[in-house]
PDB file of all heavy atoms in Angstrom:
ATOM      1  N   THR A1377      19.405-153.384 -77.958  1.00 41.00           N
ATOM      2  CA  THR A1377      20.626-153.782 -78.617  1.00 41.00           C
ATOM      3  C   THR A1377      20.305-153.898 -80.106  1.00 41.00           C
ATOM      4  O   THR A1377      21.103-153.567 -81.008  1.00 41.00           O
ATOM      5  CB  THR A1377      21.289-155.113 -78.129  1.00 41.00           C
ATOM      6  OG1 THR A1377      20.157-156.004 -77.902  1.00 41.00           O
ATOM      7  CG2 THR A1377      22.016-154.908 -76.869  1.00 41.00           C
ATOM      8  N   PHE A1378      19.144-154.490 -80.436  1.00 42.00           N
ATOM      9  CA  PHE A1378      18.772-154.706 -81.755  1.00 42.00           C
ATOM     10  C   PHE A1378      18.729-153.299 -82.480  1.00 42.00           C
ATOM     11  O   PHE A1378      19.239-153.149 -83.514  1.00 42.00           O
ATOM     12  CB  PHE A1378      17.427-155.368 -81.915  1.00 42.00           C
ATOM     13  CG  PHE A1378      16.950-155.648 -83.222  1.00 42.00           C
ATOM     14  CD1 PHE A1378      17.545-156.501 -84.075  1.00 42.00           C
ATOM     15  CD2 PHE A1378      15.863-154.879 -83.724  1.00 42.00           C
ATOM     16  CE1 PHE A1378      17.167-156.682 -85.445  1.00 42.00           C
ATOM     17  CE2 PHE A1378      15.469-155.002 -85.036  1.00 42.00           C
ATOM     18  CZ  PHE A1378      16.097-155.894 -85.839  1.00 42.00           C
ATOM     19  N   THR A1379      18.061-152.438 -81.866  1.00 42.00           N
ATOM     20  CA  THR A1379      17.796-151.058 -82.547  1.00 42.00           C
ATOM     21  C   THR A1379      19.132-150.336 -82.696  1.00 42.00           C
ATOM     22  O   THR A1379      19.292-149.647 -83.657  1.00 42.00           O
ATOM     23  CB  THR A1379      16.912-150.215 -81.721  1.00 42.00           C
ATOM     24  OG1 THR A1379      17.202-150.228 -80.421  1.00 42.00           O
ATOM     25  CG2 THR A1379      15.360-150.659 -81.852  1.00 42.00           C
ATOM     26  N   GLN A1380      20.013-150.589 -81.828  1.00 46.00           N
ATOM     27  CA  GLN A1380      21.353-149.888 -81.844  1.00 46.00           C
ATOM     28  C   GLN A1380      22.128-150.453 -83.116  1.00 46.00           C
ATOM     29  O   GLN A1380      22.892-149.752 -83.787  1.00 46.00           O
ATOM     30  CB  GLN A1380      22.073-150.126 -80.583  1.00 46.00           C
ATOM     31  CG  GLN A1380      21.768-148.967 -79.563  1.00 46.00           C
ATOM     32  CD  GLN A1380      22.492-149.194 -78.258  1.00 46.00           C
ATOM     33  OE1 GLN A1380      23.057-150.262 -78.053  1.00 46.00           O
ATOM     34  NE2 GLN A1380      22.401-148.221 -77.440  1.00 46.00           N
ATOM     35  N   GLN A1381      21.997-151.759 -83.264  1.00 47.00           N
ATOM     36  CA  GLN A1381      22.874-152.410 -84.372  1.00 47.00           C
ATOM     37  C   GLN A1381      22.268-151.958 -85.671  1.00 47.00           C
ATOM     38  O   GLN A1381      22.998-151.832 -86.615  1.00 47.00           O
ATOM     39  CB  GLN A1381      22.756-153.924 -84.235  1.00 47.00           C
ATOM     40  CG  GLN A1381      23.893-154.414 -83.245  1.00 47.00           C
ATOM     41  CD  GLN A1381      23.653-155.756 -82.832  1.00 47.00           C
ATOM     42  OE1 GLN A1381      22.732-156.492 -83.192  1.00 47.00           O
ATOM     43  NE2 GLN A1381      24.551-156.347 -82.028  1.00 47.00           N
ATOM     44  N   ALA A1382      21.004-151.824 -85.780  1.00 48.00           N
ATOM     45  CA  ALA A1382      20.434-151.469 -87.066  1.00 48.00           C
ATOM     46  C   ALA A1382      19.804-150.088 -87.047  1.00 48.00           C
ATOM     47  O   ALA A1382      18.645-149.869 -86.603  1.00 48.00           O
ATOM     48  CB  ALA A1382      19.234-152.400 -87.491  1.00 48.00           C
ATOM     49  N   PRO A1383      20.666-148.992 -87.216  1.00 50.00           N
ATOM     50  CA  PRO A1383      20.075-147.634 -87.085  1.00 50.00           C
ATOM     51  C   PRO A1383      18.935-147.335 -87.967  1.00 50.00           C
ATOM     52  O   PRO A1383      18.961-147.767 -89.097  1.00 50.00           O
ATOM     53  CB  PRO A1383      21.286-146.744 -87.372  1.00 50.00           C
ATOM     54  CG  PRO A1383      22.296-147.602 -88.115  1.00 50.00           C
ATOM     55  CD  PRO A1383      22.027-149.012 -87.765  1.00 50.00           C
ATOM     56  N   SER A1384      17.944-146.742 -87.388  1.00 57.00           N
ATOM     57  CA  SER A1384      16.790-146.475 -88.264  1.00 57.00           C
ATOM     58  C   SER A1384      16.192-145.157 -87.840  1.00 57.00           C
ATOM     59  O   SER A1384      16.390-144.723 -86.729  1.00 57.00           O
ATOM     60  CB  SER A1384      15.782-147.586 -88.250  1.00 57.00           C
ATOM     61  OG  SER A1384      14.569-147.180 -87.735  1.00 57.00           O
ATOM     62  N   ARG A1385      15.492-144.583 -88.724  1.00 65.00           N
ATOM     63  CA  ARG A1385      14.965-143.246 -88.403  1.00 65.00           C
ATOM     64  C   ARG A1385      13.807-143.343 -87.422  1.00 65.00           C
ATOM     65  O   ARG A1385      13.542-142.575 -86.657  1.00 65.00           O
ATOM     66  CB  ARG A1385      14.408-142.590 -89.751  1.00 65.00           C
ATOM     67  CG  ARG A1385      15.713-142.117 -90.591  1.00 65.00           C
ATOM     68  CD  ARG A1385      15.136-141.280 -91.738  1.00 65.00           C
ATOM     69  NE  ARG A1385      16.278-140.501 -92.210  1.00 65.00           N
ATOM     70  CZ  ARG A1385      16.448-139.221 -91.811  1.00 65.00           C
ATOM     71  NH1 ARG A1385      15.713-138.705 -90.911  1.00 65.00           N
ATOM     72  NH2 ARG A1385      17.510-138.573 -92.248  1.00 65.00           N
ATOM     73  N   ASP A1386      13.138-144.459 -87.555  1.00 73.00           N
ATOM     74  CA  ASP A1386      11.895-144.708 -86.700  1.00 73.00           C
ATOM     75  C   ASP A1386      12.410-145.068 -85.206  1.00 73.00           C
ATOM     76  O   ASP A1386      13.179-145.911 -85.105  1.00 73.00           O
ATOM     77  CB  ASP A1386      11.100-145.904 -87.207  1.00 73.00           C
ATOM     78  CG  ASP A1386      10.710-145.559 -88.649  1.00 73.00           C
ATOM     79  OD1 ASP A1386      10.500-144.463 -88.970  1.00 73.00           O
ATOM     80  OD2 ASP A1386      10.637-146.557 -89.382  1.00 73.00           O
ATOM     81  N   LYS A1387      11.866-144.408 -84.353  1.00 75.00           N
ATOM     82  CA  LYS A1387      12.198-144.643 -82.960  1.00 75.00           C
ATOM     83  C   LYS A1387      11.245-145.518 -82.353  1.00 75.00           C
ATOM     84  O   LYS A1387       9.986-145.366 -82.610  1.00 75.00           O
ATOM     85  CB  LYS A1387      12.274-143.301 -82.237  1.00 75.00           C
ATOM     86  CG  LYS A1387      13.688-142.601 -82.364  1.00 75.00           C
ATOM     87  CD  LYS A1387      14.015-141.793 -81.111  1.00 75.00           C
ATOM     88  CE  LYS A1387      15.310-141.089 -81.380  1.00 75.00           C
ATOM     89  NZ  LYS A1387      15.256-139.684 -81.248  1.00 75.00           N
ATOM     90  N   CYS A1388      11.665-146.386 -81.515  1.00 76.00           N
ATOM     91  CA  CYS A1388      10.705-147.259 -80.869  1.00 76.00           C
ATOM     92  C   CYS A1388      10.670-146.939 -79.362  1.00 76.00           C
ATOM     93  O   CYS A1388      11.814-146.848 -78.718  1.00 76.00           O
ATOM     94  CB  CYS A1388      11.124-148.786 -81.074  1.00 76.00           C
ATOM     95  SG  CYS A1388      10.216-149.924 -80.045  1.00 76.00           S
ATOM     96  N   VAL A1389       9.601-146.562 -78.889  1.00 78.00           N
ATOM     97  CA  VAL A1389       9.515-146.277 -77.447  1.00 78.00           C
ATOM     98  C   VAL A1389       8.621-147.179 -76.685  1.00 78.00           C
ATOM     99  O   VAL A1389       7.446-147.475 -77.107  1.00 78.00           O
ATOM    100  CB  VAL A1389       8.977-144.833 -77.250  1.00 78.00           C
ATOM    101  CG1 VAL A1389       8.800-144.462 -75.768  1.00 78.00           C
ATOM    102  CG2 VAL A1389       9.959-143.773 -78.018  1.00 78.00           C
ATOM    103  N   CYS A1390       9.144-147.665 -75.478  1.00 73.00           N
ATOM    104  CA  CYS A1390       8.325-148.651 -74.754  1.00 73.00           C
ATOM    105  C   CYS A1390       7.982-147.873 -73.396  1.00 73.00           C
ATOM    106  O   CYS A1390       8.768-147.202 -72.886  1.00 73.00           O
ATOM    107  CB  CYS A1390       9.021-149.841 -74.399  1.00 73.00           C
ATOM    108  SG  CYS A1390       9.310-150.874 -75.872  1.00 73.00           S
ATOM    109  N   GLU A1391       6.774-148.058 -72.993  1.00 74.00           N
ATOM    110  CA  GLU A1391       6.418-147.418 -71.775  1.00 74.00           C
ATOM    111  C   GLU A1391       6.430-148.547 -70.653  1.00 74.00           C
ATOM    112  O   GLU A1391       5.865-149.621 -70.876  1.00 74.00           O
ATOM    113  CB  GLU A1391       5.086-146.870 -71.850  1.00 74.00           C
ATOM    114  CG  GLU A1391       4.808-145.815 -70.802  1.00 74.00           C
ATOM    115  CD  GLU A1391       3.589-145.078 -70.933  1.00 74.00           C
ATOM    116  OE1 GLU A1391       3.246-144.674 -72.194  1.00 74.00           O
ATOM    117  OE2 GLU A1391       2.803-144.917 -70.027  1.00 74.00           O
ATOM    118  N   PHE A1392       7.093-148.286 -69.585  1.00 71.00           N
ATOM    119  CA  PHE A1392       7.208-149.191 -68.564  1.00 71.00           C
ATOM    120  C   PHE A1392       6.584-148.651 -67.235  1.00 71.00           C
ATOM    121  O   PHE A1392       7.026-147.615 -66.681  1.00 71.00           O
ATOM    122  CB  PHE A1392       8.763-149.605 -68.264  1.00 71.00           C
ATOM    123  CG  PHE A1392       8.900-150.569 -67.166  1.00 71.00           C
ATOM    124  CD1 PHE A1392       8.531-151.835 -67.341  1.00 71.00           C
ATOM    125  CD2 PHE A1392       9.486-150.190 -65.964  1.00 71.00           C
ATOM    126  CE1 PHE A1392       8.703-152.752 -66.262  1.00 71.00           C
ATOM    127  CE2 PHE A1392       9.620-150.996 -64.927  1.00 71.00           C
ATOM    128  CZ  PHE A1392       9.241-152.388 -65.089  1.00 71.00           C
ATOM    129  N   THR A1393       5.475-149.243 -66.845  1.00 72.00           N
ATOM    130  CA  THR A1393       4.875-148.764 -65.699  1.00 72.00           C
ATOM    131  C   THR A1393       5.076-149.774 -64.480  1.00 72.00           C
ATOM    132  O   THR A1393       4.761-151.009 -64.720  1.00 72.00           O
ATOM    133  CB  THR A1393       3.339-148.466 -65.817  1.00 72.00           C
ATOM    134  OG1 THR A1393       2.810-149.503 -66.569  1.00 72.00           O
ATOM    135  CG2 THR A1393       3.122-147.165 -66.532  1.00 72.00           C
ATOM    136  N   ASN A1394       5.480-149.328 -63.434  1.00 70.00           N
ATOM    137  CA  ASN A1394       5.735-150.170 -62.313  1.00 70.00           C
ATOM    138  C   ASN A1394       4.618-150.158 -61.217  1.00 70.00           C
ATOM    139  O   ASN A1394       4.472-149.044 -60.722  1.00 70.00           O
ATOM    140  CB  ASN A1394       7.078-149.867 -61.680  1.00 70.00           C
ATOM    141  CG  ASN A1394       7.524-150.866 -60.582  1.00 70.00           C
ATOM    142  OD1 ASN A1394       6.656-151.800 -60.284  1.00 70.00           O
ATOM    143  ND2 ASN A1394       8.654-150.639 -59.953  1.00 70.00           N
ATOM    144  N   SER A1395       3.885-151.174 -61.136  1.00 69.00           N
ATOM    145  CA  SER A1395       2.746-151.168 -60.223  1.00 69.00           C
ATOM    146  C   SER A1395       3.081-151.479 -58.787  1.00 69.00           C
ATOM    147  O   SER A1395       2.393-151.462 -57.809  1.00 69.00           O
ATOM    148  CB  SER A1395       1.672-152.018 -60.681  1.00 69.00           C
ATOM    149  OG  SER A1395       2.145-153.418 -60.650  1.00 69.00           O
ATOM    150  N   GLU A1396       4.365-151.867 -58.719  1.00 69.00           N
ATOM    151  CA  GLU A1396       4.931-152.339 -57.287  1.00 69.00           C
ATOM    152  C   GLU A1396       5.210-151.123 -56.450  1.00 69.00           C
ATOM    153  O   GLU A1396       5.636-150.070 -56.923  1.00 69.00           O
ATOM    154  CB  GLU A1396       6.209-153.119 -57.403  1.00 69.00           C
ATOM    155  CG  GLU A1396       6.115-154.193 -58.452  1.00 69.00           C
ATOM    156  CD  GLU A1396       5.743-155.489 -57.786  1.00 69.00           C
ATOM    157  OE1 GLU A1396       5.907-155.662 -56.585  1.00 69.00           O
ATOM    158  OE2 GLU A1396       5.194-156.386 -58.507  1.00 69.00           O
ATOM    159  N   ARG A1397       4.985-151.322 -55.147  1.00 73.00           N
ATOM    160  CA  ARG A1397       5.388-150.212 -54.202  1.00 73.00           C
ATOM    161  C   ARG A1397       6.987-150.269 -54.072  1.00 73.00           C
ATOM    162  O   ARG A1397       7.413-151.420 -54.150  1.00 73.00           O
ATOM    163  CB  ARG A1397       4.802-150.452 -52.816  1.00 73.00           C
ATOM    164  CG  ARG A1397       3.298-150.103 -52.729  1.00 73.00           C
ATOM    165  CD  ARG A1397       2.853-150.571 -51.319  1.00 73.00           C
ATOM    166  NE  ARG A1397       2.885-152.025 -50.996  1.00 73.00           N
ATOM    167  CZ  ARG A1397       2.757-152.520 -49.929  1.00 73.00           C
ATOM    168  NH1 ARG A1397       2.653-151.763 -48.855  1.00 73.00           N
ATOM    169  NH2 ARG A1397       2.899-153.764 -49.735  1.00 73.00           N
TER     170      ARG A1397
END
Side-chain angles (χ1 to χ4, degrees):
T1377 44
F1378 180 73
T1379 47
Q1380 274 175 347
Q1381 276 167 357
S1384 124
R1385 290 190 158 266
D1386 305 325
K1387 276 205 179 126
C1388 174
V1389 177
C1390 293
E1391 199 172 316
F1392 178 70
T1393 43
N1394 187 359
S1395 60
E1396 309 268 338
R1397 290 176 292 163

